[in-house]
């Protein structure tokens, strides 16, 4: 008995993906507290059939069983690869093994990557140009190049008759549960976290791709992770805001403390900013979730980094966090550094060296020997007020 569940998005369009409830880490870096899904879609035209993306290795049989609920996989004509990363393309060799006639469809770069990653022979692949279409018979697939969302070869597929956009990673969220957006109360929070982790470093490319699709009639956005948006305007608005780097009167405070001296400095800063009306997101690196931190980097205007010295330099957790902040390219405008040291202050120099080439303006750095004293606290309050002034000025 084939007990697998498939979801019908519209006539001839089906979700045949997999839910990975137990996955807890992506890229050996990103925490997935809610698991994720690998959404694959079957589009059945009057003459031809296309599978859009596949699934993560380990879910091949599930994909096959779901396709079999609709049709014989041997009848797949086109295997659209929007993105070559293995969580979506890892089952390509399996699918081509099910259908001799399946031809891989990807951007030119994607075709090359399919050869390198999945040994797809050149004659079995079709490179499509930006705007090119394939007619399946009453179902027309249009391909839209969208490089760096998330790799250089990425593209979107747009199903013209139904107004469904298949953007692969773009517009995704790491959630195993729910088929549609309206089934998740706080989906935008998950989507923001995902943007911070995956798309924020490519904001410029995201903006260009959003411009490209701005006049498309989109009834549904069917990404390859997380729920499908059947009310797509809300996520389109959010993406427009994030891609444009819109920030709030908000500061993210990221710190680590060994003997509570740096923590005390951070508390003074946090209270000062709060009293100035600045929204705060505060993370102790010893116990924080990296995804939560990425989420709050998306719309914070300023960052406060707090770290003690250890082993002759900034605490390694702070070094790691500073590097990540730089790599994720958040739209931060201002920064402040707070540090307590035992016998030599080096943290502000290290932070400045790491953030030096970014556009973040460091408003001030305070390094205190041992626990902060009354005079130090006054200086932190002063720095906090100056930072609040900058944040409020925009
Ligand atoms: Fe979901 Fe870039 O892969």
């Amino acid at each position: 008995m084939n007990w697998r569940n498939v979801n019908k998005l519209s006539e001839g369009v089906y979700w045949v993906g997999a839910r990975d409830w137990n996955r807890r880490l992506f890229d050996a870096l990103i925490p997935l507290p809610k698991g994720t899904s690998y959404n694959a879609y079957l589009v059945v035209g009057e003459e031809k059939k296309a599978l859009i993306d596949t699934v993560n290795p380990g879910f091949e049989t599930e994909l096959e069983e779901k396709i079999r609920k609709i049709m014989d996989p041997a009848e797949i004509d086109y295997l659209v690869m929007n993105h070559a990363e293995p969580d979506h393309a890892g089952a390509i060799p399996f699918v081509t093994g099910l259908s001799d006639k399946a031809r891989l469809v990807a951007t030119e770069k994607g075709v090359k990557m399919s050869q390198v990653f999945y040994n797809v022979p050149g004659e079995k692949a079709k490179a499509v140009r930006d705007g090119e279409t394939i007619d399946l018979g009453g179902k027309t697939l249009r391909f839209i190049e969208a490089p760096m969302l998330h790799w250089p070869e990425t593209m979107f597929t747009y199903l013209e008759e139904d107004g469904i956009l298949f953007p692969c990673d773009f517009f995704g969220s790491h959630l195993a549960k729910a088929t549609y957006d309206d089934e998740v109360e706080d989906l935008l929070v998950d989507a923001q976290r995902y943007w911070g982790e995956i798309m924020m470093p490519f904001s410029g490319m995201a903006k260009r791709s959003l411009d490209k699709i701005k006049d498309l009639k989109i009834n549904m956005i069917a990404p390859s992770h997380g729920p499908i948006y059947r009310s797509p305007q809300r996520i389109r608005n959010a993406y427009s805001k994030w891609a444009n780097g819109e920030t709030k009167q908000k500061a993210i405070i990221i710190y680590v403390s060994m003997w509570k001296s740096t923590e005390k400095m951070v508390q003074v800063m946090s209270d000062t900013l709060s009293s100035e009306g600045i929204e705060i997101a505060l993370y102790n690196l010893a116990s924080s979730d990296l995804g939560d931190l990425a989420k709050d980097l998306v719309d914070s205007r300023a960052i406060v980094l707090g770290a003690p010295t250890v082993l002759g330099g900034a605490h390694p957790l702070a070094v790691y966090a500073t590097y990540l902040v730089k790599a994720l390219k958040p739209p931060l405008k201002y920064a402040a550094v707070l540090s307590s040291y035992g016998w030599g202050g080096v943290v502000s120099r290290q932070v400045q060296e790491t953030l030096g080439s970014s556009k973040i303006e460091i408003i001030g750095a305070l390094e205190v020997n041992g626990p902060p004293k009354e005079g130090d606290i006054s200086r932190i309050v002063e720095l906090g007020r100056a930072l609040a002034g900058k944040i409020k000025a925009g």
Side-chain angles (χ1 to χ4, degrees):
M1 179 191 174
N2 188 342
W3 48 271
R4 296 290 187 187
N5 175 50
V6 298
N7 292 98
K8 186 173 174 180
L9 276 61
S10 71
E11 206 50 51
V13 186
Y14 304 90
W15 174 85
V16 290
R19 300 183 195 282
D20 196 344
W21 294 95
N22 295 315
R23 188 162 183 171
R24 286 294 172 269
L25 201 58
F26 203 90
D27 289 345
L29 177 68
I30 299 165
L32 302 180
K34 300 176 183 177
T36 192
S37 59
Y38 316 112
N39 299 330
Y41 303 94
L42 203 55
V43 181
V44 181
E46 287 155 12
E47 289 141 31
K48 305 271 186 189
K49 291 148 185 100
L51 176 66
I52 300 179
D53 294 318
T54 70
V55 289
N56 198 79
F59 292 86
E60 295 91 342
T61 308
E62 187 171 335
L63 173 68
E64 180 188 352
E65 288 171 2
K66 285 178 177 166
I67 295 171
R68 284 194 188 282
K69 286 202 83 166
I70 312 297
M71 55 175 271
D72 182 349
E75 296 303 312
I76 294 171
D77 297 280
Y78 298 108
L79 174 45
V80 177
M81 188 189 79
N82 280 323
H83 179 20
E85 195 163 10
D87 51 328
H88 311 294
I92 282 175
F94 180 82
V95 174
T96 52
L98 294 174
S99 171
D100 280 343
K101 66 175 180 174
R103 202 159 167 216
L104 183 124
V105 177
T107 59
E108 199 178 330
K109 279 190 180 134
V111 167
K112 285 184 188 145
M113 289 171 91
S114 75
Q115 291 164 358
V116 173
F117 281 74
Y118 309 112
N119 300 313
V120 177
E123 67 276 12
K124 286 275 199 177
K126 175 181 167 60
V128 285
R129 292 180 311 276
D130 191 33
E132 196 170 331
T133 57
I134 288 180
D135 183 6
L136 306 177
K139 299 277 184 201
T140 310
L141 301 180
R142 193 197 307 176
F143 305 102
I144 302 163
E145 282 188 7
M148 299 313 300
L149 305 174
H150 156 230
W151 281 5
E153 83 298 353
T154 38
M155 67 175 188
F156 303 161
T157 298
Y158 176 65
L159 176 54
E160 293 183 349
E161 290 79 1
D162 299 79
I164 303 178
L165 184 73
F166 301 95
C168 202
D169 276 345
F170 208 55
F171 294 116
S173 50
H174 282 310
L175 278 181
K177 72 172 185 181
T179 302
Y180 294 106
D181 54 334
D182 42 87
E183 296 163 3
V184 186
E185 201 176 336
D186 53 356
L187 181 55
L188 269 194
V189 176
D190 294 298
Q192 180 170 334
R193 176 184 166 106
Y194 179 98
W195 169 274
E197 294 162 338
I198 313 223
M199 292 297 159
M200 190 161 64
F202 310 111
S203 295
M205 304 305 277
K207 207 171 151 185
R208 253 168 263 170
S209 291
L210 288 170
D211 275 349
K212 253 178 151 173
I213 62 168
K214 74 176 189 311
D215 296 325
L216 274 189
K217 181 173 165 34
I218 298 175
N219 298 324
M220 201 177 268
I221 294 177
S224 291
H225 294 293
I228 296 159
Y229 290 89
R230 48 187 170 193
S231 309
Q233 202 50 50
R234 205 160 153 237
I235 189 68
R236 289 182 83 176
N237 292 347
Y239 260 52
S240 168
K241 203 168 61 176
W242 298 333
N244 279 299
E246 284 184 28
T247 56
K248 303 198 305 203
Q249 292 193 3
K250 172 175 170 181
I252 182 168
I253 301 177
I254 299 174
Y255 79 99
V256 56
S257 188
M258 293 160 66
W259 294 103
K260 297 196 179 293
S261 296
T262 303
E263 187 166 83
K264 176 79 182 288
M265 297 174 80
V266 160
Q267 283 168 350
V268 175
M269 175 60 83
S270 170
D271 268 23
T272 305
L273 291 172
S274 288
S275 69
E276 293 288 325
I278 305 299
E279 182 184 337
I280 301 292
L282 188 142
Y283 292 100
N284 182 341
L285 289 165
S287 56
S288 303
D289 175 299
L290 180 62
D292 287 339
L293 201 149
K295 169 179 71 65
D296 281 308
L297 282 170
V298 171
D299 55 7
S300 289
R301 198 166 294 165
I303 184 167
V304 177
L305 286 157
T309 54
V310 61
L311 303 171
H315 193 289
L317 285 178
V319 175
Y320 173 64
T322 312
Y323 173 80
L324 272 178
V325 166
K326 190 183 174 193
L328 290 173
K329 297 193 171 78
L332 293 165
K333 287 191 166 68
Y334 310 109
V337 182
L338 301 174
S339 176
S340 164
Y341 63 87
W343 51 89
V346 290
V347 170
S348 71
R349 180 172 51 80
Q350 268 183 279
V351 169
Q352 284 177 37
E353 278 170 8
T354 306
L355 295 183
S357 60
S358 71
K359 290 179 183 159
I360 305 170
E361 181 190 348
I362 299 178
I363 301 299
L366 290 176
E367 292 182 311
V368 170
N369 189 196
K373 318 291 183 307
E374 271 309 304
D376 302 318
I377 287 169
S378 301
R379 286 159 62 213
I380 298 167
V381 170
E382 205 178 301
L383 176 58
R385 285 178 184 156
L387 184 60
K390 288 279 192 179
I391 293 170
K392 285 194 255 192

